[in-house]
Amino acid sequence: MTYPMSEADREIQQRARAFVDQLLPFEVQAELHGGELPAEVLQAQERRVRELGFEAVNMPKELGGGGFSAFQQVLVQEQVGRATNALGWVIHTPASWLPQVATEEQLDRWVLPTIRGERRECYAITEEGAGSDVDAIQATASRDRDGYLLNGVKWHVTSFNHADHVFFQAKLAAGPNAGAHAMFVVDLDAPGIRVVRTPAYSHTIAHHHPIVAFQDVRVPAGQLVGAEGDGMRFAYEWFRYERLMIAARALGAAERLIDEATAFAGGRRAYGRPIFDYQAIQFMLADSLTELWAARLMTYRTAHGIDEGLDVKVQHAQCSMAKLYASEMAGRVADRAVQVFGGRGYMRENVAERFYRELRVDRIWEGTSEIQRAIIASQLAKRGVARLIG
Ligand SMILES: Cc1cc2nc3c(=O)[nH]c(=O)nc-3n(C[C@H](O)[C@H](O)[C@H](O)COP(=O)(O)OP(=O)(O)OC[C@H]3O[C@@H](n4cnc5c(N)ncnc54)[C@H](O)[C@@H]3O)c2cc1C
């Protein structure tokens, strides 16, 4: 209760915490069944999310979303992060950058139904030869009569199996904007979209990340999002948002791990004493708590800055710092938690084992740790210490 926040913020935090608490008993079942929960359990959880007002909390109120502040969203995502197996993803956050640029038709067909929880999106940006270096994408959009023909093979398309439309990023093949990026919204039942294969990943979650081929997918010009050349701008906006939310989820994961490891260390006896009595164990927990506190302050402060209208470039650097530090912090905490649990920490039924695998990707997706450092360093060179952190 030490971090200052309004009563309304605290109520949101408690509401989210109570929701996630009742998800935790499903984790082992999900882990042992490829991340899947029985359909009736999932539907009940989705209903609960709507009743609690947690559907599309990041979307504007006037469009039917929650209209939560950045700080309130961090509070919700922090709780989401306490559950393994992505069970918290039942709290769905649509593309928050879209309403400002969507046409009337795009609002009606994709944005509003997504806010109502009737539709779901996925993102197809990364390719075999283009991850960190997004500008290396080979996917093309060619002008074709009154629309475009889309071609390309996309990797790691998260939630493809839960989505019904995709944001597809390509380079314009010809015309005045040749070589510039463009983003398209495409229904997944469009002819020419095919799953190449669905690889297995370290984590066990119900959302897959297939490799997806787009071959001569024809879309009308009305499915271009924004203008030709805008593609990268949307990607950056989404990265900024998602990086802060990754930091928030890392906080929740670390809190849960520290709680559970501390409780275990208090009860587990070795050589006639609880292992918590040993300084080696205490120090792992003490370092973990200290680093969690630092990451939490950084993440909360970044969110407050966004709500106060902080310069967007400074936001960009701070979101990178929060993601970098919080994701690496959570990785260290998970590693120590496995150690505290000993052999049990290596069992898939143990929370530390699951987080040890699951948290690894937070140092990779939405920009690797190296890319976050590159962003932070470039901002430092341009703006200096005081502009970036006060
Ligand atoms: C589970 C999962 C889900 C994903 N979901 C999606 C999704 O839904 N949609 C989507 O489009 N993408 C998705 N991605 C892709 C993700 O964003 C990329 O994996 C990530 O950006 C890194 O790209 P890469 O894998 O090609 O690695 P690379 O870019 O090839 O990097 C390999 C290594 O080189 C380092 N490196 C690269 N450039 C530099 C540099 N300039 N300086 C220093 N080091 C550098 C990297 O940090 C990394 O360590 C997902 C990935 C995963 C693992």
Side-chain angles (χ1 to χ4, degrees):
M1 298 291 274
T2 50
Y3 193 86
M5 64 177 86
S6 71
E7 276 310 306
D9 293 345
R10 201 170 301 284
E11 188 279 323
I12 285 171
Q13 184 190 47
Q14 296 307 323
R15 201 173 352 136
R17 192 174 183 90
F19 174 73
V20 173
D21 277 345
Q22 57 83 44
L23 286 176
L24 305 184
F26 294 105
E27 289 176 335
V28 175
Q29 186 183 3
E31 177 62 31
L32 300 179
H33 294 88
E36 302 285 350
L37 291 180
E40 65 278 9
V41 174
L42 193 58
Q43 283 156 12
Q45 297 299 347
E46 285 168 353
R47 263 199 313 278
R48 192 94 191 94
V49 166
R50 281 195 288 277
E51 285 161 11
L52 289 169
F54 286 144
E55 183 70 45
V57 295
N58 63 333
M59 301 302 271
K61 258 204 165 110
E62 54 278 18
L63 296 180
F68 280 25
S69 67
F71 181 61
Q72 290 171 339
Q73 292 178 52
V74 159
L75 292 177
V76 172
Q77 289 297 320
E78 182 176 10
Q79 298 308 316
V80 164
R82 289 173 54 243
T84 63
N85 303 88
L87 296 185
W89 289 16
V90 67
I91 294 182
H92 173 228
T93 48
S96 45
W97 49 269
L98 188 56
Q100 304 151 36
V101 292
T103 61
E104 282 300 314
E105 186 206 351
Q106 289 170 355
L107 276 175
D108 287 344
R109 280 184 65 186
W110 291 283
V111 179
L112 297 175
T114 307
I115 291 174
R116 292 195 296 268
E118 297 160 9
R119 303 199 69 175
R120 268 223 187 200
E121 75 291 348
C122 58
Y123 286 84
I125 300 170
T126 303
E127 299 176 5
E128 184 174 13
S132 305
D133 182 6
V134 180
D135 196 39
I137 59 171
Q138 304 265 309
T140 55
S142 317
R143 271 275 180 191
D144 175 58
R145 298 193 300 271
D146 55 347
Y148 295 87
L149 268 189
L150 307 181
N151 279 285
V153 179
K154 297 293 186 176
W155 275 49
H156 311 296
V157 185
T158 297
S159 304
F160 184 89
N161 58 325
H162 284 246
D164 60 17
H165 61 286
V166 61
F167 293 103
F168 177 87
Q169 191 156 329
K171 280 188 173 177
L172 294 153
N177 299 308
H181 287 247
M183 177 83 88
F184 296 86
V185 55
V186 188
D187 286 329
L188 291 183
D189 58 5
I193 300 181
R194 173 177 62 89
V195 172
V196 177
R197 66 186 177 91
T198 303
Y201 285 69
S202 295
H203 54 207
T204 313
I205 69 174
H207 293 249
H208 302 162
H209 320 278
I211 300 172
V212 182
F214 295 73
Q215 192 175 0
D216 291 333
V217 177
R218 192 179 299 277
V219 293
Q223 290 181 218
L224 171 69
V225 183
E228 290 189 351
D230 272 353
M232 288 297 268
R233 184 161 67 84
F234 303 142
Y236 288 135
E237 271 191 55
W238 179 251
F239 284 155
R240 207 159 39 244
Y241 169 80
E242 198 45 34
R243 282 169 189 161
L244 185 63
M245 298 307 146
I246 287 172
R249 290 192 289 273
L251 302 179
E255 182 197 326
R256 168 112 185 266
L257 285 163
I258 297 168
D259 260 347
E260 299 231 7
T262 305
F264 177 79
R268 174 70 176 167
R269 296 177 75 82
Y271 303 98
R273 300 166 67 179
I275 60 169
F276 191 87
D277 286 0
Y278 299 111
Q279 216 173 43
I281 300 289
Q282 289 175 4
F283 282 13
M284 284 195 275
L285 294 168
D287 284 348
S288 297
L289 184 64
T290 306
E291 293 171 27
L292 168 59
W293 178 232
R296 184 182 278 173
L297 292 177
M298 184 187 290
T299 306
Y300 282 12
R301 183 60 214 144
T302 301
H304 280 309
I306 293 171
D307 290 333
E308 289 158 7
L310 188 71
D311 176 86
V312 76
K313 300 283 187 196
V314 179
Q315 281 183 29
H316 204 71
Q318 291 192 354
C319 288
S320 285
M321 285 190 267
K323 193 239 187 207
L324 172 66
Y325 187 76
S327 63
E328 300 216 335
M329 173 280 298
R332 289 191 294 274
V333 170
D335 186 72
R336 294 179 194 126
V338 169
Q339 202 65 17
V340 170
F341 277 107
R344 289 167 178 77
Y346 198 65
M347 294 163 75
R348 284 172 61 187
E349 63 195 53
N350 184 290
V351 64
E353 190 279 341
R354 295 193 300 278
F355 268 134
Y356 182 73
R357 278 180 290 122
E358 292 181 12
L359 290 168
R360 189 63 183 83
V361 77
D362 287 338
R363 290 148 66 186
I364 297 171
W365 59 12
E366 309 302 346
T368 62
S369 287
E370 292 71 34
I371 295 304
Q372 305 312 323
R373 289 189 174 94
I375 292 168
I376 297 160
S378 133
Q379 290 291 328
L380 175 63
K382 285 184 204 141
R383 275 162 251 285
V385 176
R387 279 289 310 285
L388 295 184
I389 62 167

